[in-house]
Amino acid sequence: MKNVLSGIQPTGDLHIGNYFGAVQNWVRLQSEYNCFFCVVDYHSMTMPYNPEKLRENTWNMVFWLTACGVNPEHLFVQSLVPEHAELAWVLNCMVPYGEVTRMTQFKDKTDQLHEKDKDAFVSLGLFTYPVLQAADILMYHAHYVPVGKDQEQHLELSRNIAQRFNSQFGKEYFQIPEPLFTDTPKILSPADPNRKMSKSLGEKHYINLFGEEDRVRKQIKSAVTDTGDTPAGEMSTGVANLFELLRACNSMELHDTLMDDYKAGTLKYSALKEAVADALVGLINPLRERLAELNADKRKVKAQIQESSAEIRKTAQQTLREVREIAGLLPLK
Ligand code: TRP
């Protein structure tokens, strides 16, 4: 079996865009690949943050992913495997400074910080973020990395770092990782369907994967259908997004019937919205139940993740033994 690695930052909520775009895919990949799924708390320290909140979000993300069906044996927390930070240091010394200055995510995040406050603190950690990501990937000799388009540049950097390390030390040591692009539904904001669903846009722009039924229904009911900028004869992005949600929820029969209505010019948006709300509630309710079960025995879930992280750490320690030897460091006692 080939190795797959992916990571997700512990943010304050998991929304249906994250679920359809990444998490659902992770769950499917588990049967085909030897998977490593990582909650990347070190990465979350690169932007201004609150320590208590970080710890809380890290645990929450572990619970949410587990409720979604990620096997706890494949799931670990990055900082429970501190070798990630050590490997990142070694790789920092293998990557040309100029190459990292070309990373667009650094520029985007810096702009984001400066929009809020022109004197905002921008950390060196944010700059070297993609090198830590390369460490995550190379640590487990991942063949494939499921990524979205926004992470393509970081993956390319990881490939370059692996190649440079290998050629610098004359040894084919690191696996050169490949992106794994899967056709995942792209979910847009219900409040502004010209933009991707995202937490950073604000609360009305994303639907919480563990949201209360009432709120989910309300959000769909008030979803924007006519954006006013749709050329005649074309489906508006808002309506297309609702159809995409039906497809994502696997409600294909309803999808096709309503699509016929749309083509015939008889579709009522209220009927489409009701169908989408029902489909989403059908997805979300079982996930909420599963989460409640996990929450009933928090200690068990936490112990499981400590255990899986310790187990996965053994692989990381082996990599570091080899890397230290190749890179000219002394062996650990
Ligand atoms: N940078 C990724 C994101 O923001 C998260 C991440 C960290 C990651 N390490 C990774 C993704 C390794 C894939 C592989 O989405």
Side-chain angles (χ1 to χ4, degrees), residues 189-228:
S189 154
D192 179 359
N194 288 320
R195 303 211 264 179
K196 211 175 111 181
M197 180 172 287
S198 159
K199 248 199 68 180
S200 54
L201 294 174
E203 285 208 336
K204 59 180 176 149
H205 291 280
Y206 69 93
I207 296 171
N208 187 342
L209 185 58
F210 297 95
E212 303 263 355
E213 176 165 345
D214 278 1
R215 173 152 171 78
V216 174
R217 289 191 183 277
K218 268 199 198 113
Q219 279 185 292
I220 294 299
K221 210 170 199 168
S222 55
V224 173
T225 45
D226 282 317
T227 36

Side-chain angles (χ1 to χ4, degrees), residues 5-9 40 43 129 133 136-137 145 147 151 154:
L5 179 134
S6 199
I8 190 164
Q9 285 203 40
V40 293
H43 277 107
Y129 174 117
Q133 182 165 348
D136 301 339
I137 297 167
V145 182
V147 283
Q151 294 297 315
H154 286 169

Side-chain angles (χ1 to χ4, degrees), residues 11-75:
T11 51
D13 265 320
L14 198 59
H15 60 64
I16 59 168
N18 304 132
Y19 180 75
F20 292 126
V23 180
Q24 191 183 38
N25 193 32
W26 289 12
V27 174
R28 291 184 182 140
L29 290 170
Q30 294 182 123
S31 55
E32 270 175 76
Y33 297 97
N34 183 26
C35 289
F36 297 86
F37 297 127
C38 185
V39 177
V40 293
D41 53 348
Y42 282 150
H43 277 107
S44 292
M45 299 169 72
T46 59
M47 293 285 263
Y49 75 99
N50 169 301
E52 279 315 311
K53 205 76 208 149
L54 174 60
R55 209 182 338 265
E56 186 188 321
N57 289 345
T58 301
W59 280 127
N60 280 340
M61 189 55 79
V62 162
F63 279 76
W64 295 331
L65 293 173
T66 309
C68 289
V70 174
N71 181 341
E73 283 176 27
H74 302 152
L75 184 62

Side-chain angles (χ1 to χ4, degrees), residues 126-144:
L126 184 63
F127 181 71
T128 191
Y129 174 117
V131 182
L132 178 59
Q133 182 165 348
D136 301 339
I137 297 167
L138 302 184
M139 182 73 86
Y140 305 99
H141 309 284
H143 299 86
Y144 297 112

Side-chain angles (χ1 to χ4, degrees), residues 170-182:
K171 209 171 158 84
E172 291 305 304
Y173 179 68
F174 282 125
Q175 176 69 37
I176 314 298
E178 306 263 354
L180 193 65
F181 294 118
T182 3

Side-chain angles (χ1 to χ4, degrees), residues 9-306:
Q9 285 203 40
T11 51
D13 265 320
L14 198 59
H15 60 64
I16 59 168
N18 304 132
Y19 180 75
F20 292 126
V23 180
Q24 191 183 38
N25 193 32
W26 289 12
V27 174
R28 291 184 182 140
L29 290 170
Q30 294 182 123
S31 55
E32 270 175 76
Y33 297 97
N34 183 26
C35 289
F36 297 86
F37 297 127
C38 185
V39 177
V40 293
D41 53 348
Y42 282 150
H43 277 107
S44 292
M45 299 169 72
T46 59
M47 293 285 263
Y49 75 99
N50 169 301
E52 279 315 311
K53 205 76 208 149
L54 174 60
R55 209 182 338 265
E56 186 188 321
N57 289 345
T58 301
W59 280 127
N60 280 340
M61 189 55 79
V62 162
F63 279 76
W64 295 331
L65 293 173
T66 309
C68 289
V70 174
N71 181 341
E73 283 176 27
H74 302 152
L75 184 62
F76 67 106
V77 173
Q78 186 186 34
S79 73
L80 291 178
V81 184
E83 284 72 18
H84 285 243
E86 187 182 355
L87 182 57
W89 174 255
V90 174
L91 300 181
N92 266 316
C93 300
M94 306 285 133
V95 54
Y97 176 82
E99 205 171 325
V100 185
T101 60
R102 289 197 288 275
M103 296 293 120
T104 54
Q105 184 180 288
F106 175 71
K107 289 179 202 152
D108 293 345
K109 290 200 174 174
T110 305
D111 290 348
Q112 235 182 61
L113 286 171
H114 284 154
E115 255 170 49
K116 280 193 218 138
D117 168 11
K118 68 175 177 32
D119 301 318
F121 167 77
V122 178
S123 76
L124 183 55
L126 184 63
F127 181 71
T128 191
Y129 174 117
V131 182
L132 178 59
Q133 182 165 348
D136 301 339
I137 297 167
L138 302 184
M139 182 73 86
Y140 305 99
H141 309 284
H143 299 86
Y144 297 112
V145 182
V147 283
K149 285 272 169 222
D150 63 322
Q151 294 297 315
E152 226 178 331
Q153 199 186 27
H154 286 169
L155 188 65
E156 196 52 38
L157 182 75
S158 302
R159 292 166 55 82
N160 291 347
I161 293 175
Q163 266 149 357
R164 188 178 314 271
F165 183 98
N166 290 352
S167 73
Q168 184 154 328
F169 298 117
K171 209 171 158 84
E172 291 305 304
Y173 179 68
F174 282 125
Q175 176 69 37
I176 314 298
E178 306 263 354
L180 193 65
F181 294 118
T182 3
D183 189 21
T184 52
K186 303 280 172 290
I187 307 301
L188 307 170
S189 154
D192 179 359
N194 288 320
R195 303 211 264 179
K196 211 175 111 181
M197 180 172 287
S198 159
K199 248 199 68 180
S200 54
L201 294 174
E203 285 208 336
K204 59 180 176 149
H205 291 280
Y206 69 93
I207 296 171
N208 187 342
L209 185 58
F210 297 95
E212 303 263 355
E213 176 165 345
D214 278 1
R215 173 152 171 78
V216 174
R217 289 191 183 277
K218 268 199 198 113
Q219 279 185 292
I220 294 299
K221 210 170 199 168
S222 55
V224 173
T225 45
D226 282 317
T227 36
D229 51 3
T230 311
E234 272 182 34
M235 186 184 274
S236 74
T237 50
V239 174
N241 193 38
L242 291 171
F243 274 110
E244 187 68 0
L245 280 169
L246 272 184
R247 176 194 290 279
C249 291
N250 258 327
S251 299
M252 285 319 287
E253 261 179 53
L254 256 176
H255 173 280
D256 294 351
T257 314
L258 292 165
M259 188 61 91
D260 287 344
D261 292 349
Y262 174 80
K263 285 180 184 152
T266 57
L267 176 70
K268 284 208 176 69
Y269 289 158
S270 58
L272 175 61
K273 285 180 170 179
E274 198 176 306
V276 172
D278 286 346
L280 280 178
V281 167
L283 168 83
I284 289 174
N285 276 349
L287 293 179
R288 283 170 59 91
E289 275 170 35
R290 184 81 193 96
L291 184 64
E293 280 166 30
L294 295 172
N295 277 330
D297 197 352
K298 281 206 160 86
R299 291 229 319 258
K300 182 169 150 216
V301 178
K302 290 185 175 185
Q304 242 171 2
I305 290 303
Q306 291 281 358

